[in-house]
């Protein structure tokens, strides 16, 4: 029996562009669903919402907010779960600080984010804020493995309306630079636990002293446990060399990390790059910078703000920057460099964008240039390196004829590196890090030096088995090439292969699958899609993320259009909307010009799947009718080119929602499976059609001047509604 207090479907409240889109789209969903007796509730997983839920003691009774993320985290473990998950902000420190400041200015007496906590009280506040930082949402909700692909109509639309792709020339100087030793890839050790075990991580000093870095770990039998580290010295030497080479090669220096998801390791690596790039400044003014509270991990933007009143240091910075290779820019108009904010350049979005542009990035002069793409760790860098080599050799991909790479990703229960931040440490002094099991066995041991970044990641047996089964099911459904992107020479992957092979053999399907290292799998998949065929990439958690941006951006222009299904291990469904993020640039455009170019196609696809799931899971035939009509409406959006345009004055996100509502109502009015629903939606469809002109002109006249949302992270709902629902005629129909 369904728990009557849980809505049939939960739609998440998030941040930035997708949340703006929700202000327009969710009322439509709720109106239509209600007519079919389907309830659609919301849960707030926005950055501001999570901050407010974390500090009830600092807030007044009215200001307090329930911990919706924790509730959703429980829900996804129940078979009742049916959640539509929109992308949310994974906050870097500068974003978290900005969000806290905004909330404080709105009258929420939150504590400041303690940058360098010294007292116990400050440390406690910091620990609370740290739980909100980075990718704090997805790992909690993703209690299943992932199935991401372009829905058939979306793929054919992209083929019929191919987007522009930058040209590649053989002479392109763009390349990927990666460490060949001393990185996570080369230092990795991995073992599969035969029995369940507890573990602790200790740092043993040269003097024999023991520091417990982490205690109380526990793993079920069959867990694959990895440990590795990145040498700080090797990283610095590598960065210094690449900064020099970039200048010699005459390219842009660009650094590509994932400081949001890898929230402990990657801001540290980012900080090393900031220090390496400004080495002469740190050598000369290191003490002054420290005194000014500079933390290189927060980026050049923060550093510059802290030396605003120190002309000598500013001059030195300018001199060094002028002498270095030009930097790849986030926003050349505003002088925002690659090293300004750790979360501005995120590898899974930044590398595909650069590749799609023909290996070009924006330089400080506002023009496109070749770039040296610095990706320190070598675990996954070969994917980008091989893609670049392949396009240099063969020229750009043609989206009109290209096939598609689907993905089955191992993700459940914080699998692999993406679950490693609680077990990642910046090493305080030389010694050796040991991972010690409850019975005293030393599972892994590494000699480390001050500043090295050591981490352990784990992957549980049940998710691995579920992932292999999902791959078998998908391959059977598609009948196409299917490749496990696993490298037998890499410690972790070798353990996974020991799981994969016996399962494939036992099921008698080994001949339908290949196992290839990421570099070889990249080339094979590119060759396959070049021929117009489909390939299924069966990957771990990081490649799931990277590939479901890389291939969609090449094939469809954006990963926002992806179907992204998480089959929850306990029976529920989590439907992610697209494979991209929350598009901060889109908010900027809306605020300046009142035009929202966010494409809700991901939401449309997810809604269709969610209704279909509701129909199957609870025998809800009305939900089935509603879901089929959603698919028809999505098809209508594509067939009639109703997706948002990028430019102000042209139809935007809000127009696309009008069209979606109209096609949805028309499909419901004309279907014959449920006459009651048909009768209900007939007049709605008619009214939406008759009033087309009025609605479109009301929507159009809203555009062109700045829009006031009353906030960025914590917008004013009334103001947002006024901006996002500017058509009184449409509002009267939707209610
Ligand atoms: P992003 O938001 O995906 O943005 C990259 C670019 O992709 C956008 O600037 C936009 O290109 C395009 N794009 C993405 N979604 C789109 C849509 N629905 N319609 C049209 N264009 C779309 O990636 P990001 O800048 O790396 O990340 C931004 C934030 O999102 C970060 O806080 C990140 O952590 C978070 N994030 C969350 C999730 C998640 O919750 N699942 C996933 C990834 C990232 P144009 O500017 O050219 O229009
Ligand atoms: Mg991604």
């Amino acid at each position: 029996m369904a728990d009557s207090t849980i809505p049939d479907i939960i739609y998440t409240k998030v941040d930035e562009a997708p949340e703006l889109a929700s202000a327009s789209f969710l009322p439509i969903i709720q109106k239509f669903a209600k007519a079919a007796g389907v309830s659609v509730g919301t849960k707030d997983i926005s950055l501001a919402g999570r901050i407010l839920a974390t500090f009830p003691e600092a807030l007044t009774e009215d200001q307090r907010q329930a911990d919706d993320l924790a509730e959703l985290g429980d829900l996804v473990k129940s078979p009742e779960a049916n959640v539509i998950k929109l992308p949310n902000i994974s906050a870097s420190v500068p974003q978290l600080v900005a969000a806290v400041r905004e909330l404080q200015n709105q009258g929420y007496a939150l504590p400041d984010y303690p940058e360098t906590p010294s007292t116990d009280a400050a440390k406690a506040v910091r620990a609370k804020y740290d739980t909100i930082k980075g990718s704090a949402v997805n790992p909690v909700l993703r209690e299943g493995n992932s199935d991401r692909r372009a829905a058939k109509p979306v793929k054919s639309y992209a083929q019929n309306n191919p987007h522009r792709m930058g040209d590649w020339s053989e002479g392109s100087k763009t390349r990927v630079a990666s460490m060949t030793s001393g990185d996570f890839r080369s230092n990795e050790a991995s073992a599969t636990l035969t029995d369940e075990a507890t573990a602790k991580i200790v740092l043993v000093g040269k003097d024999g002293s023991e520091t417990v870095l982490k205690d109380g770990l526990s793993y079920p039998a069959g867990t694959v446990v990895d440990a590795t580290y990145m040498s700080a010295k090797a990283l610095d030497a590598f960065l210094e060399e690449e900064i020099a080479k970039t200048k010699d090669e005459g390219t842009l220096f660009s650094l590509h990390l994932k400081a949001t998801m890898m929230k402990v390791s990657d801001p540290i690596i980012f900080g090393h790059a900031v220090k390496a790039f400004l080495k002469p400044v740190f050598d000369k003014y290191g003490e002054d910078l420290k005194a000014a509270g500079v933390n290189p991990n927060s980026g050049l933007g923060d550093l510059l703000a802290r030396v605003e009143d120190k002309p000598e240091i500013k001059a030195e910075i300018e001199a060094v920057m002028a002498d270095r290779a030009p930097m790849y820019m986030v926003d050349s108009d505003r002088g925002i460099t690659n090293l300004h904010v750790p979360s501005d350049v995120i590898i899974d979005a930044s590398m595909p964008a650069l590749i799609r542009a023909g290996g070009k990035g924006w330089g400080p002069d506002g023009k496109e240039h070749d770039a040296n793409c610095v990706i320190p760790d070598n675990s996954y860098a070969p994917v980008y390196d091989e893609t670049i080599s392949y396009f240099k050799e063969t020229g750009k991909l043609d989206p009109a004829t290209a096939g598609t790479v689907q993905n089955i990703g191992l993700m459940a229960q914080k699998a692999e590196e993406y679950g490693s931040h609680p077990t990642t440490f910046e090493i305080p002094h030389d010694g050796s890090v040991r991972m010690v099991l409850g019975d005293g066995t030393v599972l892994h041991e590494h000699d480390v030096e001050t500043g090295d970044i050591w981490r352990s990641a784990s992957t549980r047996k049940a998710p691995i088995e579920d992932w292999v089964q999902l791959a078998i099911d998908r391959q059977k459904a598609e009948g196409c090439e299917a490749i496990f992107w696993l490298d037998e020479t890499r410690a972790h992957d070798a353990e996974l292969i020991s799981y994969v092979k016996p399962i494939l053999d036992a099921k008698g399907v080994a001949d339908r699958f290949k196992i290839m290292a990421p570099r070889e799998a990249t080339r094979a998949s590119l060759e396959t899609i070049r021929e117009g065929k489909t390939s299924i990439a069966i990957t771990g958690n990081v490649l799931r993320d990277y590939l479901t941006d890389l291939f969609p951006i090449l094939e469809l222009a954006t990963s926002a259009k992806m179907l992204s299904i998480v089959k929850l291990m306990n029976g529920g469904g989590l439907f992610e909307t697209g494979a991209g993020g929350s598009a901060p640039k889109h908010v900027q455009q809306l605020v300046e010009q009142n035009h929202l170019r966010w494409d809700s196609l991901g939401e449309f696809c997810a809604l269709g799947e969610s209704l279909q799931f509701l129909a199957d899971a609870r025998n809800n035939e009305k939900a089935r009718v509603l879901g089929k009509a959603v698919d028809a409406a999505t098809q209508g959006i594509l067939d009639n080119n109703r997706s948002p345009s990028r430019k102000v004055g042209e139809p935007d996100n809000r127009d696309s929602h009008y069209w979606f509502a109209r096609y949805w109502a028309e499909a419901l009015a004309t279907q014959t499976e449920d006459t009651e629903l048909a009768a209900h939606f007939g007049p709605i469809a008619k009214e939406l059609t008759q009033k087309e002109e009025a609605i479109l002109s009301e929507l159009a006249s809203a555009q062109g001047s700045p829009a006031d949302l009353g906030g960025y992270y914590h917008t004013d709902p009334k103001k947002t509604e006024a901006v996002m629902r500017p058509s009184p005629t449409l509002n009267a129909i939707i209610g």
Side-chain angles (χ1 to χ4, degrees):
M1 237 335 258
D3 180 339
S4 60
T5 59
I6 303 172
D8 295 315
I9 295 174
I10 291 184
Y11 204 80
T12 51
K13 174 173 163 44
V14 291
D15 321 87
E16 296 182 328
E19 185 53 21
L20 292 173
S22 294
S24 156
F25 188 38
L26 188 56
I28 296 171
I29 300 177
Q30 285 173 326
K31 156 98 177 172
F32 279 58
K34 196 172 170 207
V38 172
S39 56
V40 181
T42 59
K43 288 279 177 206
D44 184 351
I45 55 169
S46 68
L47 175 59
R50 287 181 283 128
I51 294 173
L52 294 177
T54 305
F55 291 96
E57 68 281 4
L59 306 176
T60 66
E61 197 85 39
D62 311 341
Q63 290 176 331
R64 284 186 197 155
Q65 199 164 310
D67 190 347
D68 281 9
L69 177 59
E71 288 174 30
L72 271 187
D74 286 337
L75 179 65
V76 290
K77 290 181 186 151
S78 86
E80 318 277 57
N82 187 341
V83 180
I84 297 180
K85 154 76 174 65
L86 281 73
N88 59 283
I89 293 179
S90 299
S92 63
V93 171
Q95 284 173 304
L96 183 58
V97 169
V100 171
R101 192 166 309 136
E102 178 177 320
L103 288 164
Q104 288 170 335
N105 289 338
Q106 290 177 353
Y108 297 87
L110 293 163
D112 286 333
Y113 173 82
E115 303 259 2
T116 42
S118 46
T119 65
D120 282 349
K123 280 181 189 156
V125 170
R126 171 63 180 264
K128 280 184 152 196
Y129 274 124
D130 282 349
T131 63
I132 306 167
K133 219 158 72 182
S135 292
V137 172
N138 287 333
V140 175
L141 301 187
R142 290 173 169 170
E143 276 291 321
N145 292 308
S146 103
D147 169 3
R148 287 183 176 182
R149 55 201 137 94
K152 288 236 154 62
V154 173
K155 181 66 192 170
S156 27
Y157 174 84
Q159 290 182 322
N160 296 331
N161 302 272
H163 56 272
R164 245 177 357 100
M165 294 270 263
D167 287 314
W168 277 92
S169 70
E170 248 179 285
S172 166
K173 288 186 280 185
T174 294
R175 66 182 181 94
V176 170
S178 211
M179 295 166 75
T180 49
S181 63
D183 63 337
F184 292 122
R185 165 69 174 83
S186 36
N187 289 325
E188 188 172 80
S190 184
T192 302
L193 301 175
T194 23
D195 302 309
E196 67 175 308
T198 57
K200 63 178 176 180
I201 301 167
V202 284
L203 171 63
V204 184
K206 298 265 183 218
D207 57 359
S209 65
E210 283 200 15
T211 314
V212 177
L213 298 175
K214 186 88 188 175
D215 205 351
L217 297 167
S218 74
Y219 304 105
T223 303
V224 176
V225 180
D226 315 331
T228 186
Y229 74 100
M230 179 174 275
S231 152
K233 272 189 195 148
L235 173 63
D236 290 340
F238 163 77
L239 289 168
E240 196 170 332
E241 192 180 326
E242 288 305 325
I243 290 168
K245 279 190 186 167
T246 312
K247 185 162 184 195
D248 295 343
E249 291 168 16
T251 54
L252 303 175
F253 177 84
S254 71
L255 176 74
H256 304 264
L257 293 168
K258 182 108 180 172
T260 50
M261 184 70 229
M262 301 303 293
K263 63 179 171 183
V264 181
S265 59
D266 285 21
I268 301 173
I269 300 173
F270 182 85
H272 277 266
V274 171
K275 266 167 93 173
F277 207 82
L278 294 182
K279 189 164 188 302
V281 182
F282 277 90
D283 285 350
K284 200 160 164 189
Y285 295 107
E287 287 308 313
D288 303 84
L289 292 173
K290 209 181 219 168
V294 167
N295 176 1
N297 302 6
S298 294
L300 189 54
D302 179 77
L303 187 156
L304 289 172
R306 289 179 194 271
V307 299
E308 192 47 58
D309 55 352
K310 300 184 174 58
E312 229 180 301
I313 303 184
K314 273 173 72 179
E316 179 73 17
I317 293 174
E318 271 167 39
V320 171
M321 298 278 281
D323 186 53
R324 294 292 199 201
M327 220 185 291
Y328 163 88
M329 302 298 280
V330 168
D331 187 338
S332 55
D333 293 342
R334 294 192 295 147
I336 311 285
T337 71
N338 182 184
L339 296 181
H340 262 63
V341 182
S343 58
D344 270 357
V345 175
I346 307 180
I347 184 167
D348 51 328
S350 59
M351 281 305 299
L354 191 140
I355 291 170
R356 201 195 125 183
K360 303 283 184 192
W362 296 102
D365 57 359
K367 295 196 180 107
E368 287 195 319
H369 299 278
D370 289 347
N372 181 7
C373 308
V374 176
I375 304 173
D377 180 41
N378 213 337
S379 302
Y380 306 105
V383 169
Y384 299 114
D385 189 47
E386 192 64 16
T387 305
I388 288 171
S389 304
Y390 179 75
F391 287 138
K392 277 194 207 174
E393 288 163 31
T394 62
K396 67 184 175 190
L397 195 71
D398 180 1
T401 55
T404 191
V405 180
Q406 309 186 339
N407 182 272
I408 294 296
L410 172 54
M411 175 173 88
Q413 299 175 2
K414 306 182 176 71
E416 304 181 326
E417 294 96 319
Y418 276 7
S420 68
H421 47 82
T423 43
T424 303
F425 308 95
E426 189 168 24
I427 299 301
H429 58 77
D430 292 3
S432 81
V433 180
R434 289 183 196 155
M435 188 141 195
V436 189
L437 299 185
D439 66 2
T441 318
V442 176
L443 188 67
H444 299 303
E445 176 163 11
H446 288 106
D447 287 338
V448 290
E449 294 176 312
T450 308
D452 289 354
I453 308 162
W454 186 96
R455 77 164 179 233
S456 172
S458 63
T459 318
R460 292 169 180 226
K461 178 182 177 182
I464 299 172
E465 290 174 345
D466 178 83
W467 167 68
V468 179
Q469 188 55 50
L470 200 55
I472 294 172
D473 295 344
R474 282 297 310 152
Q475 195 284 332
K476 197 170 168 204
E478 294 286 340
C480 66
E481 172 180 273
I483 303 173
F484 280 90
W485 291 45
L486 297 171
D487 179 354
E488 60 183 12
T489 69
R490 181 180 158 189
H492 168 77
D493 288 10
E495 298 297 310
L496 281 200
I497 291 171
S498 305
Y499 268 109
V500 172
K501 279 189 169 164
I503 301 177
L504 296 181
D505 286 338
K507 306 256 171 181
V509 293
D511 58 333
R512 297 187 198 162
F513 294 87
K514 290 179 191 150
I515 297 178
M516 295 170 115
R519 181 180 296 281
E520 287 68 39
T522 301
R523 179 152 299 241
S525 305
L526 285 167
E527 282 169 349
T528 301
I529 62 171
R530 177 83 84 185
E531 290 171 15
K533 295 186 199 147
T534 302
S535 182
I536 303 176
I538 308 148
T539 70
N541 210 347
V542 177
L543 283 180
R544 166 198 60 76
D545 181 10
Y546 291 10
L547 298 193
T548 59
D549 277 311
L550 175 63
F551 290 113
I553 286 172
L554 296 176
E555 296 171 26
L556 315 171
T558 162
S559 56
K561 301 181 176 179
M562 294 290 278
L563 190 59
S564 188
I565 302 170
V566 184
K567 210 171 137 265
L568 295 168
M569 285 172 64
N570 289 339
L574 174 71
F575 305 92
E576 299 195 39
T577 63
S582 46
K585 278 191 278 174
H586 293 204
V587 186
Q588 205 179 317
Q589 189 183 20
L590 177 97
V591 169
E592 284 164 14
Q593 311 179 318
N594 205 339
H595 177 89
L596 185 65
R597 69 177 188 266
W598 175 262
D599 190 334
S600 290
L601 201 62
E603 288 101 287
F604 302 157
C605 290
L607 178 63
E609 291 294 320
S610 167
L611 286 165
Q612 180 69 47
F613 179 79
L614 180 63
D616 291 340
R618 305 219 196 132
N619 283 323
N620 184 333
E621 289 314 311
K622 283 195 185 298
R624 193 179 311 283
V625 172
L626 214 51
K628 278 191 191 166
V630 163
D631 291 344
T634 307
Q635 186 76 55
I637 292 284
L638 293 169
D639 290 347
N640 301 294
N641 261 321
R642 301 296 184 197
S643 291
S645 145
R646 298 177 64 84
K647 285 203 209 88
V648 65
E650 294 175 5
D652 80 351
N653 178 266
R654 293 162 285 195
D655 296 76
S656 76
H657 294 161
Y658 157 71
W659 289 108
F660 185 87
R662 177 164 155 185
Y663 297 145
W664 194 6
E666 280 168 355
L668 286 164
T670 50
Q671 50 77 32
T672 52
E673 282 162 72
D674 189 316
T675 47
E676 203 187 328
L677 279 179
H680 177 85
F681 281 98
I684 297 175
K686 201 166 153 199
E687 206 182 350
L688 285 166
T689 309
Q690 280 169 349
K691 295 185 175 163
E692 171 185 330
E693 214 183 288
I695 293 171
L696 293 183
S697 86
E698 285 164 6
L699 291 175
S701 62
Q703 291 197 40
S705 37
D708 176 17
L709 302 170
Y712 186 90
Y713 296 98
H714 195 242
T715 53
D716 177 332
K718 288 224 169 65
K719 287 183 176 174
T720 308
E721 190 185 328
V723 171
M724 290 308 301
R725 304 187 68 199
S727 165
T729 311
L730 178 58
N731 297 350
I733 303 171
I734 301 303

